[in-house]
Amino acid sequence: MVNILLKRRGAILILMLNLFLVFTGIGLVIPIMPKYMEGLGINGGTIGLLVAAFSLTQLFFSPLAGRMADQLGRKRIIVTGMLIFALSEAIFGMASASWLLFLSRMLGGISAALIMPAVMAYAADVTTNEERAAGMGYITASITTGFIIGPGIGGYIAEFGIRVPFYTAGAAGIAAACLTLFVLRESLPSRDATAKETPAAEPKQHRGLLRQIMYSYREPYFFSLIIVFVLSFGLANFETVFSLFVDHKFGFEPKDIAFIITFGSIGGAVIQATGFSWILNRFGENRVISVCLLFAGIFILLTLFVHKFWMIFAVTFIVFLAIDILRPAISTQMSMMAKDQQGYVAGLNSAFTSLGNIAGPIVAGFLFDININYPYTVACVILLICFGLSRRVNYGKPRSAAVPAYDSRA
């Protein structure tokens, strides 16, 4: 699999670096936010709105970004996204009023919306059907790793000044943009060739966000988009109330919570980077998706019944592992069906992810106020219903080297 990382002058490695920086930048804010709240006089409600501002902006710009990646080229969109990311981090570091924090997070949402579809489309462009799972695994592992070490890096660099982490992230974003600009080669297939292949596919590229979402039910990958939403909803639901849940129910200290989340995320990242390709090639996307939905639903429910630290750690670890395998499996499945519409499909993927990230925390917080067990109960029910549906939906022919998964949809 080393060849995948090094082909086309290390294209996958550069893509991984870009996503790693973006999601590390998102994680930087976690340990530093309490001091920002104190210094700027903002409350927890404002923090929630900041999270929503990022996700909403990403939602609205994702389909547009997907079209732009198909029309203007992946490389140009990635570079633009990284420069906007650098600007957003710099503004957050300089912020002296809450409106600047909102401006920063909205720019951050735009940068994520630009980068994610373009990176996913680029990875699909430069990998064969046999390499696709490994490529998506590496890409997703870089996201997970950024989330894992972001808070740690933020806490360490903050020793030199509360705003230093954001300036550092901004400088790293500019460096990554320059590296991408001068080293990465454009991967967008010839427009003439794709026009001959699918002459009727172009009109949907011009639909607005709402029309793209409304008409997505007509696509062969629609159920995969539903799973993307359920996954993001469930994960946001799970993570939003996890610290509150274990604090209220078991009296866990912050270090206990950090240990569980960190090692669960590390396990998922390791599997994505090393074993994901083998798992997908051995069992196929359909079976992997169904099994992961089943395990995620069951073990989220088990969280309500375990009491000892090691049992909570084990259950949570399996939940993270199932989700971390499920996410790239869905991305791989959709990219196999997308053909020349890689940017468009990746944009819809990002849009449905944002919908889940917006709805999940809101619903989780509301249910938690009613009963601390309700968020996980609802998440379990939704995941198990989705599992049942996944057993009845025909995605297409099984994955094989001779017959790509999307051939049955052509």
Side-chain angles (χ1 to χ4, degrees), residues 245 249-250 299 301-313 315-316:
F245 178 81
K249 200 162 187 175
F250 308 112
F299 280 85
L301 183 63
L302 287 178
T303 307
L304 304 179
F305 300 100
V306 295
H307 301 286
K308 295 184 178 180
F309 178 85
W310 71 268
M311 295 179 68
I312 296 170
F313 173 80
V315 168
T316 306

Side-chain angles (χ1 to χ4, degrees), residues 114-137:
L114 289 171
I115 294 167
M116 283 293 293
V119 165
M120 292 296 185
Y122 193 110
D125 292 340
V126 301
T127 55
T128 64
N129 291 339
E130 292 74 21
E131 297 171 338
R132 188 71 48 80
M136 291 297 179

